[in-house]
Amino acid sequence: MLCQDPLSTEWDCPLGSKDLDGKEEPWKGGAPLPPTGCFPGPWRQDVSLDCKGSPEEAEARAWTVYYYGLLQSCLQQAGLPETQDRSQAPRTGRPEAEVTLCILGSPSTFLSLLLEGGVQSPGNMLLCLSPAWLMKVAAPGQEGEASLLVSKAVSFYPGGLTFLDDFVPPRHATYFLAGLGPESGHGREAAELARNLTCPTGASAELARLLEDRLLTRWLLSQQTGVVVPATLAFTYRPPGLLRGGDTSPGLRLVELSGKEGQETLVKEEIEAFVHSEALGEASQVAVRLSGWRWRGQQALRLHLRVEPSAVVNTVLALLEKLEEEESVLVEAMCPPARLPLPGSPAPGPELAVRICAVVCRIQGDRPLLSKVVCGVGRGDQLVRHHNTLPRTLEVALAQCGLEEAAQVALLGQRIKEAAEAALAAVLALEAGLSVEQRGGRQVHIDFLGVDFVLTVAGRTLTPAVLKLNSGLCLETCGALEGLWAAPRLGRSVKEAAAAPLVETMLRRSGRHLMEGKQLLVIGAGGVSKKFVWEAARDYGLKLHLVESDPNHFASQLVQTFIHFDVTEHRRDEENAQQLAELVRARNLKLDGCFSFWDDCLVLTALLCRELGLPCSPPAAMCLAKQKSRTQLHLLRCPGPPWPATSLHAVACCPLESEADVEKAIDQVPLPGVMKLEFGSGAVGVQLVKDGPQCHEHFSRILHDLQGEADHPGIGLGWGNAMLLMEFVEGTEHDVDLVVFGGRLLAAFVSDNGPTRLPGFTETAACMPTGLAPEQEAQLVQAAFRCCLGCGLLDGVFNVELKMTGAGPKLIEINPRMGGFYLRDWILEIYGVDLLLASAMVACGLQPALPAHPRARGYLVGIMCLVSQHIEMLSSPSSRETLQALHDQGLLRLNLLEEALIPGQYEEPYCNVACAGSSPAEARLRLLGICQGLGIDRPNYPVAHFLSHFK
């Protein structure tokens, strides 16, 4: 039997919910003194739990000591070392420039989150065991809001290492999450600390009040397609404000009473109609319970047979006397328990009861994502709740009940996923309509949710029904399951912690908080493919100032300050940098950083940063990376140590400025080779050359056709049209996008490219994440990182193009800026990491707030559209409308790379069309179908061939 609650007719109330006479009472807003002697252990008892300048009263001190012992017990049971006290040597740093993820609450509730935070952001995940370790200070210029300072905390690191730290000066919280349940020893203080903070906040008493109202959440979920909730009848004197005037649903009836007296007839009529209604289905029992903030945390319910409505009436009338405004008495159907296996199969043994809980998190784009599902199994005639059963996976729990068919288990898992994600989506939609006051602050948003389920049967279909929502119990239960494999002695690890998406969201919101209001100078506006920069800057609250050659550029109207300055003549970059520095000073711009995402302006940006004293990689490093032959020749002269030497990744090449250089290069570089522009971009003018005559012919053609910026704007001709010849290496082509800060690799994202249309090298197709084996992926990342370090690129977001050959990764070129084309969009969609924000943070001297191990949430496979091959489709208004409509519906991702449909001998891709999938094969098949339907696939542009690498 899979059931929601005990089949008991007795009230079951938690601590503090009954008075001495046994009468049930509401929760009064605080917990009693903690139990003593709960955690006898070998850990030290003389640690410093006092916070200087913030003495605690005896009761508060008792909770601090209790939570410290609870933390040590949790760590001990997980096989992790004891917390080390290093508070005698306070930690220093940059308190207003560091990511600080602060948790105030029970260690057992948040252990999964704390350990995952220690892995993803070492030393930045802090657990405060007492409100006295925190302090709110008024925020200048932000009326009614306060910053949250952390003076003392337990810091978490990889491997479960923890340290008790003091911070002098205090660290500024960039994200705050407090436990606000009735079991918390600091409920009132936590609620006050969480209210109206300047930093992102994951919980507030105001939002908790809404989520703990079972009537409100039941109404909310009953409106959602695909979410099943028990049929419910609610009695109230005055419904919650958000319910007044709201739509009703077939499964929920709300009866508003005019007073506490004389309601017997109405109550009796409503209950008799309810127990006889079809909405109850096959339920044989109904449960009566209280709903409202005062009654939160209580499991109190009384069960009655459906055929005995008079008993239900008596219970409801007794409870109505206790109600205040916005509280209610609920009569709800006990969902008929699903008996497994289904009727007709032999019984597996004694009936078992199962409780299912799911953790679902808000991810990039405010989308819900199911993180983990955990079950508890027990005897059918006993309580099955979070704290009195051992957690296990859905598969194991169902197998114990006799259901082992993989297809049925997978289908049920998918239904749970859809219902849990729909539940969070409904809560996020509700939250979006609330005022700042109703949320408890401008920065308060719900970032995760626990969803409790019961399985019932509709026809012969197993259906998960949502019982209630919670903020911590499901997370704690998932953490308990993860703890089974955490101990090193077992030699196993959990694939992904339930809290992993939540940590990523905390880091993402922290990065936004640190960058809000930052003043940045952007050099070069780019084209339509960089339109996202200005939209994202507004969303992040960045204050951008732009230097651009085109006085009529559309971005000139989207920035704080526009400086018209000719930046196209790059041979005068040093002089231009000095002039720009004077213009910045004359305008009294108070800049936090300066950066560029446009190839042509990277060296100028580095020179200007040096003039203004702003963070950036050295100009010499930018010059070295900008000139392709210098990059390769420099790396070839780096034989090591350390080993493997960077020279292993470099390729033989020779710079070309004259016909004589071509002849010399033919003798030095093995043919076939690749001839390209020394400072070019977008693969314009890149061609495979097989012999000497082809080398001379292509060199002469480029020198004639591409002489200056006007011949093909935006590909680097402002640096001249010098060329190089490099060895052609066989292998698959890949992009590696790196985030580097202080010479340390923070993140890397690898994508695969499809075969090009030889003899040209214009990109055709791509797939992300890579399909390479993990070892090969690691080789590519290390090769890209070593090449950047070898050139002196120590700070920034860099795009490195390589080939994976039989001899390992070989460098094609380094682009010392954020990846172009679709890469920023894809990485944001798949990993939730924004390279634009990371670039801006590095430019301000701030370490980007990135998870140490970003996790992919699916695959993208895309195809490039070219003017020469697709001009009929691209120039057709109906085709372009279809592309945009499919993009808006989420059926494909459209990235526009150019604005004008201008045919030419040297072309760049016009747009990229991509499809998502749970595997490369699924995404590839979807894309192939769309390309065939839209006419992108054609004899001279065989999409199936270009996608063949991604099978």
Side-chain angles (χ1 to χ4, degrees), residues 873-892:
M873 180 201 74
L874 295 174
S875 58
S876 164
S878 61
S879 295
R880 295 182 65 151
E881 288 172 4
T882 299
L883 278 173
Q884 189 62 51
L886 292 172
H887 173 84
D888 295 340
Q889 296 168 27
L891 299 176
L892 59 78

PDB file of all heavy atoms in Angstrom, residues 873-892:
ATOM      1  N   MET A 873      15.620  31.107 -49.056  1.00  0.00           N
ATOM      2  CA  MET A 873      14.898  30.893 -47.809  1.00  0.00           C
ATOM      3  C   MET A 873      15.036  32.101 -46.883  1.00  0.00           C
ATOM      4  O   MET A 873      14.056  32.574 -46.298  1.00  0.00           O
ATOM      5  CB  MET A 873      15.435  29.650 -47.101  1.00  0.00           C
ATOM      6  CG  MET A 873      14.735  29.359 -45.773  1.00  0.00           C
ATOM      7  SD  MET A 873      15.706  28.319 -44.660  1.00  0.00           S
ATOM      8  CE  MET A 873      16.956  29.474 -44.103  1.00  0.00           C
ATOM      9  N   LEU A 874      16.254  32.636 -46.767  1.00  0.00           N
ATOM     10  CA  LEU A 874      16.502  33.722 -45.821  1.00  0.00           C
ATOM     11  C   LEU A 874      15.861  35.028 -46.258  1.00  0.00           C
ATOM     12  O   LEU A 874      15.557  35.889 -45.423  1.00  0.00           O
ATOM     13  CB  LEU A 874      18.017  33.912 -45.644  1.00  0.00           C
ATOM     14  CG  LEU A 874      18.751  32.731 -45.007  1.00  0.00           C
ATOM     15  CD1 LEU A 874      20.255  32.971 -45.010  1.00  0.00           C
ATOM     16  CD2 LEU A 874      18.263  32.477 -43.580  1.00  0.00           C
ATOM     17  N   SER A 875      15.653  35.213 -47.550  1.00  0.00           N
ATOM     18  CA  SER A 875      15.039  36.445 -48.040  1.00  0.00           C
ATOM     19  C   SER A 875      13.517  36.334 -48.104  1.00  0.00           C
ATOM     20  O   SER A 875      12.845  37.321 -48.398  1.00  0.00           O
ATOM     21  CB  SER A 875      15.584  36.804 -49.424  1.00  0.00           C
ATOM     22  OG  SER A 875      15.366  35.754 -50.349  1.00  0.00           O
ATOM     23  N   SER A 876      12.991  35.155 -47.812  1.00  0.00           N
ATOM     24  CA  SER A 876      11.531  34.962 -47.829  1.00  0.00           C
ATOM     25  C   SER A 876      10.951  35.373 -46.479  1.00  0.00           C
ATOM     26  O   SER A 876      11.302  34.800 -45.446  1.00  0.00           O
ATOM     27  CB  SER A 876      11.200  33.494 -48.105  1.00  0.00           C
ATOM     28  OG  SER A 876       9.852  33.222 -47.775  1.00  0.00           O
ATOM     29  N   PRO A 877      10.047  36.365 -46.456  1.00  0.00           N
ATOM     30  CA  PRO A 877       9.437  36.779 -45.179  1.00  0.00           C
ATOM     31  C   PRO A 877       8.756  35.632 -44.449  1.00  0.00           C
ATOM     32  O   PRO A 877       8.839  35.523 -43.227  1.00  0.00           O
ATOM     33  CB  PRO A 877       8.436  37.854 -45.603  1.00  0.00           C
ATOM     34  CG  PRO A 877       8.956  38.375 -46.896  1.00  0.00           C
ATOM     35  CD  PRO A 877       9.587  37.201 -47.579  1.00  0.00           C
ATOM     36  N   SER A 878       8.093  34.739 -45.184  1.00  0.00           N
ATOM     37  CA  SER A 878       7.384  33.632 -44.535  1.00  0.00           C
ATOM     38  C   SER A 878       8.355  32.656 -43.883  1.00  0.00           C
ATOM     39  O   SER A 878       8.098  32.151 -42.776  1.00  0.00           O
ATOM     40  CB  SER A 878       6.511  32.892 -45.556  1.00  0.00           C
ATOM     41  OG  SER A 878       7.299  32.338 -46.589  1.00  0.00           O
ATOM     42  N   SER A 879       9.490  32.391 -44.553  1.00  0.00           N
ATOM     43  CA  SER A 879      10.485  31.483 -43.972  1.00  0.00           C
ATOM     44  C   SER A 879      11.095  32.077 -42.713  1.00  0.00           C
ATOM     45  O   SER A 879      11.284  31.379 -41.706  1.00  0.00           O
ATOM     46  CB  SER A 879      11.583  31.170 -44.994  1.00  0.00           C
ATOM     47  OG  SER A 879      11.066  30.466 -46.096  1.00  0.00           O
ATOM     48  N   ARG A 880      11.386  33.361 -42.760  1.00  0.00           N
ATOM     49  CA  ARG A 880      11.982  34.008 -41.578  1.00  0.00           C
ATOM     50  C   ARG A 880      10.967  34.073 -40.434  1.00  0.00           C
ATOM     51  O   ARG A 880      11.330  33.896 -39.271  1.00  0.00           O
ATOM     52  CB  ARG A 880      12.483  35.400 -41.943  1.00  0.00           C
ATOM     53  CG  ARG A 880      13.625  35.362 -42.953  1.00  0.00           C
ATOM     54  CD  ARG A 880      14.155  36.719 -43.278  1.00  0.00           C
ATOM     55  NE  ARG A 880      14.780  37.361 -42.138  1.00  0.00           N
ATOM     56  CZ  ARG A 880      15.772  38.239 -42.228  1.00  0.00           C
ATOM     57  NH1 ARG A 880      16.258  38.542 -43.423  1.00  0.00           N
ATOM     58  NH2 ARG A 880      16.277  38.803 -41.168  1.00  0.00           N
ATOM     59  N   GLU A 881       9.703  34.305 -40.776  1.00  0.00           N
ATOM     60  CA  GLU A 881       8.663  34.293 -39.737  1.00  0.00           C
ATOM     61  C   GLU A 881       8.524  32.909 -39.122  1.00  0.00           C
ATOM     62  O   GLU A 881       8.320  32.766 -37.910  1.00  0.00           O
ATOM     63  CB  GLU A 881       7.332  34.757 -40.332  1.00  0.00           C
ATOM     64  CG  GLU A 881       7.293  36.247 -40.652  1.00  0.00           C
ATOM     65  CD  GLU A 881       6.035  36.621 -41.417  1.00  0.00           C
ATOM     66  OE1 GLU A 881       5.176  35.724 -41.610  1.00  0.00           O
ATOM     67  OE2 GLU A 881       5.915  37.793 -41.823  1.00  0.00           O
ATOM     68  N   THR A 882       8.654  31.869 -39.957  1.00  0.00           N
ATOM     69  CA  THR A 882       8.570  30.499 -39.451  1.00  0.00           C
ATOM     70  C   THR A 882       9.728  30.207 -38.495  1.00  0.00           C
ATOM     71  O   THR A 882       9.533  29.621 -37.422  1.00  0.00           O
ATOM     72  CB  THR A 882       8.585  29.493 -40.612  1.00  0.00           C
ATOM     73  OG1 THR A 882       7.458  29.735 -41.456  1.00  0.00           O
ATOM     74  CG2 THR A 882       8.548  28.065 -40.089  1.00  0.00           C
ATOM     75  N   LEU A 883      10.936  30.612 -38.893  1.00  0.00           N
ATOM     76  CA  LEU A 883      12.098  30.421 -38.015  1.00  0.00           C
ATOM     77  C   LEU A 883      11.886  31.106 -36.670  1.00  0.00           C
ATOM     78  O   LEU A 883      12.144  30.526 -35.614  1.00  0.00           O
ATOM     79  CB  LEU A 883      13.361  30.969 -38.692  1.00  0.00           C
ATOM     80  CG  LEU A 883      14.069  30.078 -39.710  1.00  0.00           C
ATOM     81  CD1 LEU A 883      15.194  30.853 -40.383  1.00  0.00           C
ATOM     82  CD2 LEU A 883      14.615  28.824 -39.045  1.00  0.00           C
ATOM     83  N   GLN A 884      11.434  32.347 -36.712  1.00  0.00           N
ATOM     84  CA  GLN A 884      11.235  33.097 -35.476  1.00  0.00           C
ATOM     85  C   GLN A 884      10.132  32.470 -34.631  1.00  0.00           C
ATOM     86  O   GLN A 884      10.246  32.391 -33.398  1.00  0.00           O
ATOM     87  CB  GLN A 884      10.895  34.544 -35.791  1.00  0.00           C
ATOM     88  CG  GLN A 884      10.875  35.458 -34.568  1.00  0.00           C
ATOM     89  CD  GLN A 884      12.223  35.535 -33.873  1.00  0.00           C
ATOM     90  OE1 GLN A 884      13.247  35.781 -34.515  1.00  0.00           O
ATOM     91  NE2 GLN A 884      12.236  35.299 -32.562  1.00  0.00           N
ATOM     92  N   ALA A 885       9.072  32.008 -35.275  1.00  0.00           N
ATOM     93  CA  ALA A 885       7.970  31.381 -34.536  1.00  0.00           C
ATOM     94  C   ALA A 885       8.427  30.094 -33.862  1.00  0.00           C
ATOM     95  O   ALA A 885       8.082  29.825 -32.701  1.00  0.00           O
ATOM     96  CB  ALA A 885       6.801  31.097 -35.473  1.00  0.00           C
ATOM     97  N   LEU A 886       9.216  29.285 -34.565  1.00  0.00           N
ATOM     98  CA  LEU A 886       9.744  28.050 -33.968  1.00  0.00           C
ATOM     99  C   LEU A 886      10.667  28.357 -32.799  1.00  0.00           C
ATOM    100  O   LEU A 886      10.689  27.641 -31.797  1.00  0.00           O
ATOM    101  CB  LEU A 886      10.469  27.229 -35.037  1.00  0.00           C
ATOM    102  CG  LEU A 886       9.592  26.623 -36.134  1.00  0.00           C
ATOM    103  CD1 LEU A 886      10.450  25.998 -37.234  1.00  0.00           C
ATOM    104  CD2 LEU A 886       8.644  25.578 -35.555  1.00  0.00           C
ATOM    105  N   HIS A 887      11.418  29.448 -32.932  1.00  0.00           N
ATOM    106  CA  HIS A 887      12.287  29.884 -31.823  1.00  0.00           C
ATOM    107  C   HIS A 887      11.448  30.304 -30.622  1.00  0.00           C
ATOM    108  O   HIS A 887      11.727  29.907 -29.479  1.00  0.00           O
ATOM    109  CB  HIS A 887      13.171  31.037 -32.287  1.00  0.00           C
ATOM    110  CG  HIS A 887      13.975  31.674 -31.182  1.00  0.00           C
ATOM    111  ND1 HIS A 887      15.183  31.176 -30.760  1.00  0.00           N
ATOM    112  CD2 HIS A 887      13.725  32.763 -30.420  1.00  0.00           C
ATOM    113  CE1 HIS A 887      15.652  31.936 -29.772  1.00  0.00           C
ATOM    114  NE2 HIS A 887      14.779  32.907 -29.556  1.00  0.00           N
ATOM    115  N   ASP A 888      10.420  31.096 -30.869  1.00  0.00           N
ATOM    116  CA  ASP A 888       9.566  31.583 -29.780  1.00  0.00           C
ATOM    117  C   ASP A 888       8.846  30.443 -29.074  1.00  0.00           C
ATOM    118  O   ASP A 888       8.560  30.524 -27.870  1.00  0.00           O
ATOM    119  CB  ASP A 888       8.556  32.595 -30.312  1.00  0.00           C
ATOM    120  CG  ASP A 888       9.220  33.865 -30.828  1.00  0.00           C
ATOM    121  OD1 ASP A 888      10.376  34.132 -30.437  1.00  0.00           O
ATOM    122  OD2 ASP A 888       8.589  34.581 -31.638  1.00  0.00           O
ATOM    123  N   GLN A 889       8.555  29.366 -29.818  1.00  0.00           N
ATOM    124  CA  GLN A 889       7.866  28.208 -29.236  1.00  0.00           C
ATOM    125  C   GLN A 889       8.824  27.246 -28.544  1.00  0.00           C
ATOM    126  O   GLN A 889       8.390  26.261 -27.949  1.00  0.00           O
ATOM    127  CB  GLN A 889       7.089  27.459 -30.329  1.00  0.00           C
ATOM    128  CG  GLN A 889       5.962  28.258 -30.957  1.00  0.00           C
ATOM    129  CD  GLN A 889       5.427  27.599 -32.215  1.00  0.00           C
ATOM    130  OE1 GLN A 889       5.496  26.375 -32.378  1.00  0.00           O
ATOM    131  NE2 GLN A 889       4.896  28.408 -33.127  1.00  0.00           N
ATOM    132  N   GLY A 890      10.123  27.530 -28.615  1.00  0.00           N
ATOM    133  CA  GLY A 890      11.106  26.667 -27.975  1.00  0.00           C
ATOM    134  C   GLY A 890      11.434  25.415 -28.758  1.00  0.00           C
ATOM    135  O   GLY A 890      12.072  24.498 -28.229  1.00  0.00           O
ATOM    136  N   LEU A 891      11.031  25.370 -30.032  1.00  0.00           N
ATOM    137  CA  LEU A 891      11.308  24.186 -30.851  1.00  0.00           C
ATOM    138  C   LEU A 891      12.686  24.246 -31.488  1.00  0.00           C
ATOM    139  O   LEU A 891      13.201  23.224 -31.947  1.00  0.00           O
ATOM    140  CB  LEU A 891      10.227  24.034 -31.930  1.00  0.00           C
ATOM    141  CG  LEU A 891       8.799  23.834 -31.381  1.00  0.00           C
ATOM    142  CD1 LEU A 891       7.792  23.794 -32.517  1.00  0.00           C
ATOM    143  CD2 LEU A 891       8.729  22.555 -30.550  1.00  0.00           C
ATOM    144  N   LEU A 892      13.263  25.426 -31.571  1.00  0.00           N
ATOM    145  CA  LEU A 892      14.639  25.579 -32.030  1.00  0.00           C
ATOM    146  C   LEU A 892      15.216  26.840 -31.409  1.00  0.00           C
ATOM    147  O   LEU A 892      14.491  27.654 -30.836  1.00  0.00           O
ATOM    148  CB  LEU A 892      14.734  25.617 -33.561  1.00  0.00           C
ATOM    149  CG  LEU A 892      13.983  26.703 -34.356  1.00  0.00           C
ATOM    150  CD1 LEU A 892      14.707  28.056 -34.324  1.00  0.00           C
ATOM    151  CD2 LEU A 892      13.833  26.263 -35.804  1.00  0.00           C
TER     152      LEU A 892
END
